[in-house]
Amino acid sequence: MSYLAYAVAAWLFLAGGLGIARSRHLVQTVVALSVAQSGTYVLLLAVGFQRGASAPIFGAGTPLKASGVVDPVVQAMTLTDIVVSATVTALLAALAIQVAKLHGTADPDELRSLRG
Amino acid sequence: MLALPIVIPLLAAAVLLGVGRLVPRRAGDAIAATAAVGTAGFAYAVLRGTGDGRVVAWLGGWRPHGGRGVGIPLVGDQVSAGIVLLTALLVLAALVYGWRYHEDVEAHYPALMMLFLAGMAGFALSGDLFDMFVFFELMGAVAYALTGFKIEDPGAVQGGLNFGVINSLGAYLTLVGIGLLYARTGRLGLAPLGEALRGHGADPLVLAGFVCVVTGFLVKAALVPFHFWLADAHAVAPTPVCVLFSGIMVELGLYGVLRVYTTVFGGVLAAGDVRRTFLVLGVLTAAVGAVMCVAQRNLKRLLAYSTIAHMGLFVVAAFLLTADGLAGAVTYAAAHAGVKAALFLTVGMLLNRYGTVDEHDLYGRARGWGVPLLLLTGAAALSGLPPFGPGLGKALSEDAVTAAGYGWSPVLFVAVSALTGGAVLRAALRVGFGAGPHPSHARGAEETGGGEETEVPLRRIPATMAAATVALLAGGMVIGVVPWPVRAETFLDGSGYAAQVLHGARTGMAAHVTHWTATGVAYGLASSVLAVGVALAALYGPVLPAAVRRSAAALRPAFLVLRRAHSGHVGDYVAWMLLGVTILAASLVTTL
């Protein structure tokens, strides 16, 4: 496996983090968080990937190939991660809507209700 | 049996979400309270079952053979089972208190509390790193929802959002770390990971895995510079929820770091380097928390910063990685949970009655004896007065840190206890007795976020609210009087953990029975006296000698910088977090 996938994973995570830090809109903040999380998907899948290996589906009719299979554990972890992400993103997006409604702005720089 | 403390609240949550709309609200509360009692009962049974070692259960019966297997274990020892018991009791207290406190909550409030309980119990009992992450996310997502529960309150939704973004990002870093460790070893269980790494040795990838995994937990544990969300979330969350946040959720972050370090990384990352790094983090956290605590006038924020300060002390004691230090930290955290929870509930009574938690607005208004007495007792306990629980935990921690060769330990522990206890005492004297000159509002609105929405005011404090508060306070104090065996060595014994989980070899180790020492009593009295001094200086500041006032004024610019850092801006918080990760990694590079 080349290092490209790992580089992409790191780049996505950092780009997401930077996106939150520099965000001027709460929807952007929430999406940037999802971008950061996409980095974890790429990382996990890259960990389990093998060139030329087949999908990890076993059954009576499918003989095992000599080239092996990719790791199913990381795929299960990625799926769990996606479920978690859907929940969290939905919740945060709902909160962002509510912030915009109550504060009249969705720009984090203009939210002033929590200081010190 | 070991799974029941997780299954019961999950089932209760499902039932509540299913039928909650059909049954009256009290029935929903009763279901939740019954489930909390059941969870506490089974947690106690597990606690008894652990004896001097651990109990292990394999979910679905997937036991390992010859040390290898694919199963996922639950592991209970005294500390983790004790955490589950404490959590269940705190949830029960929060529900009992909320019986009359919330007037119009929907059925999903008790359901969320149940999910929160299940998440925390699962996190404490899990013996698998990925499972820990899943339960960590469960309790995280529920916590964001509970923080922003009052969706018509501007502060609450913003606090919930900040909390959610920063904690989720931390949790994703934890997942990155888990991925890196899996890439290196092909395992996810704590015990198999530890065994594989012991054979493999340290390298940059393993170190990166450690830093990433613990970052998520450190955000939850609110150590500087990962702590910013905590005060915002505490200021806006419903008061019974603050009880769970300050009492146990934050401490669970520290538990996660310790559990992962002792079972997985104990054999590869040198204890000396880890101890040094975390001592620095702990001292910094204690200092920032204590200073910010004294400066608050929003009582919920004040208590939140006091939690940060005490977390710093727990870290300093626990990361000695000695049995004495851990026993001290465990005692301290357990007693602190009761006392801090009771203080939050007392502030909730003020909020309910007077519609504000601002110390200046409340000046001299809490008439009668109930609330001022609760605040005074809480302040005394928090400042480390013997023979109460927090004082014992402080004394044990102090002695352990001194014995490990850090002679400055009493200074730190006494100063932090005096400042946080003094801040609460100042508030108690102002609110309950109208002590000192009337605080002027002219100094400018320095802080905001006062606003938990006011509940329907009650004419007098109902028995349920008073009972929950007094029970928690009494529980936190009694810990200091009853000798208590802490199985700290069992917790720290990573190879014993692996031997029992993978090979069924049960090992037992000696316990540390808590006891008072003469120096502990002396330092406890000293910090209480100093706390009175801090409170009086804050109340009667203008009459202090001019020299003292001038030196205080000289420190003001530095303090303003610190306060401005707590900006309530989620982008700033993330920037601080990324900086913290970098510093953490840099300071641990020497272990390689």
Side-chain angles (χ1 to χ4, degrees):
Chain A
M1 182 64 196
S2 73
Y3 287 100
L4 181 64
Y6 295 104
V8 168
W11 183 76
L12 279 175
F13 198 93
L14 291 176
L18 193 68
I20 301 172
R22 291 176 50 91
S23 168
R24 299 299 307 274
H25 196 285
L26 286 176
V27 172
Q28 188 197 2
T29 309
V30 175
V31 173
L33 187 66
S34 298
V35 170
Q37 192 175 19
S38 315
T40 65
Y41 306 153
V42 175
L43 173 77
L44 287 174
L45 293 178
V47 164
F49 182 79
Q50 290 179 58
R51 193 168 293 281
S54 64
I57 302 167
F58 305 103
T62 50
L64 266 182
K65 282 190 206 159
S67 55
V69 295
V70 298
D71 190 342
V73 173
V74 287
Q75 302 190 349
M77 286 163 71
T78 310
L79 269 180
T80 315
D81 192 15
I82 290 173
V83 173
V84 168
S85 142
T87 317
V88 170
T89 308
L91 182 64
L92 293 182
L95 285 173
I97 291 174
Q98 209 59 28
V99 168
K101 216 186 260 174
L102 296 170
H103 290 263
T105 172
D107 183 346
D109 294 346
E110 290 173 15
L111 297 175
R112 303 231 178 275
S113 71
L114 296 172
R115 287 272 161 113
Chain B
M1 171 84 156
L2 206 46
L4 284 175
I6 309 169
V7 173
I8 292 173
L10 276 181
L11 276 180
V15 169
L16 284 167
L17 286 174
V19 304
R21 285 172 203 283
L22 310 176
V23 298
R25 191 197 138 203
R26 297 295 178 211
D29 283 351
I31 293 173
T34 313
V37 171
T39 308
F42 282 107
Y44 183 69
V46 170
L47 185 63
R48 292 292 300 272
T50 57
D52 59 357
R54 313 172 184 80
V55 285
V56 181
W58 292 88
L59 297 176
W62 291 83
R63 304 182 152 279
H65 294 285
R68 300 185 69 86
V70 295
I72 295 174
L74 294 176
V75 185
D77 59 12
Q78 191 205 29
V79 174
S80 59
I83 285 174
V84 179
L85 177 61
L86 177 62
T87 313
L89 292 177
L90 287 176
V91 168
L92 181 64
L95 286 168
V96 168
Y97 183 90
W99 186 270
R100 294 289 303 280
Y101 183 77
H102 303 289
E103 275 311 316
D104 51 345
V105 288
E106 317 234 341
H108 61 257
Y109 175 75
L112 282 174
M113 292 295 254
M114 288 293 105
L115 285 175
F116 201 28
L117 173 56
M120 292 194 280
F123 185 73
L125 292 176
S126 176
D128 180 275
L129 196 52
F130 189 68
D131 249 29
M132 280 179 91
F133 166 76
V134 173
F135 282 118
F136 187 75
E137 279 285 35
L138 174 63
M139 75 179 176
V142 176
Y144 319 148
L146 284 170
T147 306
F149 189 74
K150 293 176 179 154
I151 54 166
E152 297 304 326
D153 174 7
V157 284
Q158 194 197 341
L161 189 72
N162 284 1
F163 180 21
V165 169
I166 188 93
N167 267 265
S168 298
L169 196 66
Y172 300 154
L173 259 180
T174 297
L175 184 62
V176 167
I178 295 172
L180 295 179
L181 292 175
Y182 183 77
R184 173 55 82 215
T185 62
R187 325 261 167 110
L188 289 171
L190 294 177
L193 264 172
E195 264 200 345
L197 286 183
R198 253 189 292 280
H200 182 273
D203 63 18
L205 188 65
V206 172
L207 178 64
F210 176 73
V211 170
C212 288
V213 168
V214 301
T215 299
F217 299 160
L218 289 179
V219 172
K220 194 69 99 188
L223 294 197
V224 172
F226 307 105
H227 69 289
F228 293 95
W229 61 271
L230 185 138
D232 295 354
H234 278 71
V236 298
T239 309
V241 174
C242 292
V243 166
L244 297 177
F245 283 8
S246 251
I248 194 70
M249 183 188 76
V250 177
E251 285 77 1
L252 270 176
L254 175 58
Y255 164 85
V257 179
L258 281 169
R259 174 66 84 198
V260 167
Y261 175 73
T262 54
T263 56
V264 178
F265 297 95
V268 277
L269 298 179
D273 298 297
V274 173
R275 176 188 307 156
R276 195 191 54 217
T277 301
F278 279 89
L279 279 186
V280 173
L281 272 184
V283 171
L284 195 63
T285 307
V288 169
V291 169
M292 289 299 291
C293 174
V294 175
Q296 303 299 316
R297 49 184 265 202
N298 176 328
L299 293 180
K300 284 170 86 181
R301 259 179 191 277
L302 186 150
L303 292 176
Y305 281 112
S306 142
T307 298
I308 294 178
H310 281 94
M311 275 307 292
L313 297 184
F314 304 158
V315 167
V316 168
F319 269 92
L320 294 175
L321 299 168
T322 63
D324 291 340
L326 189 66
V330 166
T331 312
Y332 206 170
H336 168 266
V339 170
K340 185 59 63 68
L343 282 171
F344 266 113
L345 293 182
T346 311
V347 171
M349 292 176 190
L350 288 171
L351 177 70
N352 180 287
R353 182 72 74 81
Y354 305 104
T356 174
V357 290
D358 186 306
E359 188 182 323
H360 295 187
D361 293 345
L362 284 167
Y363 177 80
R365 283 174 70 184
R367 293 185 198 88
W369 281 96
V371 168
L373 206 59
L374 284 172
L375 283 176
L376 283 180
T377 319
L382 212 55
S383 71
L385 185 70
F388 300 138
L392 176 61
K394 168 176 161 293
L396 291 172
S397 306
E398 221 163 49
D399 287 350
V401 180
T402 311
Y406 302 95
W408 42 260
S409 119
V411 179
L412 175 78
F413 279 82
V414 167
V416 169
S417 301
L419 285 171
T420 54
V424 178
L425 186 61
R426 178 198 72 199
L429 292 175
R430 267 208 187 121
V431 170
F433 305 100
H438 197 297
S440 64
H441 296 262
R443 273 194 288 172
E446 290 155 331
E447 72 199 54
T448 49
E452 182 180 345
E453 271 185 3
T454 49
E455 310 277 343
V456 181
L458 300 163
R459 296 193 72 81
R460 54 191 309 276
I461 294 165
T464 46
M465 281 165 75
T469 313
V470 171
L472 285 172
L473 193 58
M477 303 185 111
V478 152
I479 288 176
V481 187
V482 183
W484 189 45
V486 184
R487 309 268 172 200
E489 275 175 33
T490 308
F491 184 92
L492 290 172
D493 178 20
S495 47
Y497 183 93
Q500 184 164 0
V501 171
L502 295 175
H503 307 287
R506 194 184 166 99
T507 50
M509 295 192 130
H512 278 242
V513 179
T514 58
H515 61 279
W516 285 94
T517 58
T519 50
V521 173
Y523 286 132
L525 289 173
S527 66
S528 295
V529 170
L530 278 173
V532 174
V534 168
L536 292 180
L539 288 172
Y540 301 100
V543 299
L544 283 176
V548 179
R549 270 186 287 150
R550 260 200 305 279
S551 55
L555 289 172
R556 194 157 175 78
F559 167 70
L560 285 179
V561 169
L562 181 65
R563 165 163 262 167
R564 233 171 268 137
H566 297 76
S567 60
H569 189 301
V570 63
D572 295 353
Y573 294 1
V574 167
W576 279 108
M577 186 184 112
L578 294 177
L579 180 71
V581 177
T582 316
I583 293 172
L584 194 61
S587 69
L588 284 170
V589 160
T590 51
T591 57
L592 294 179

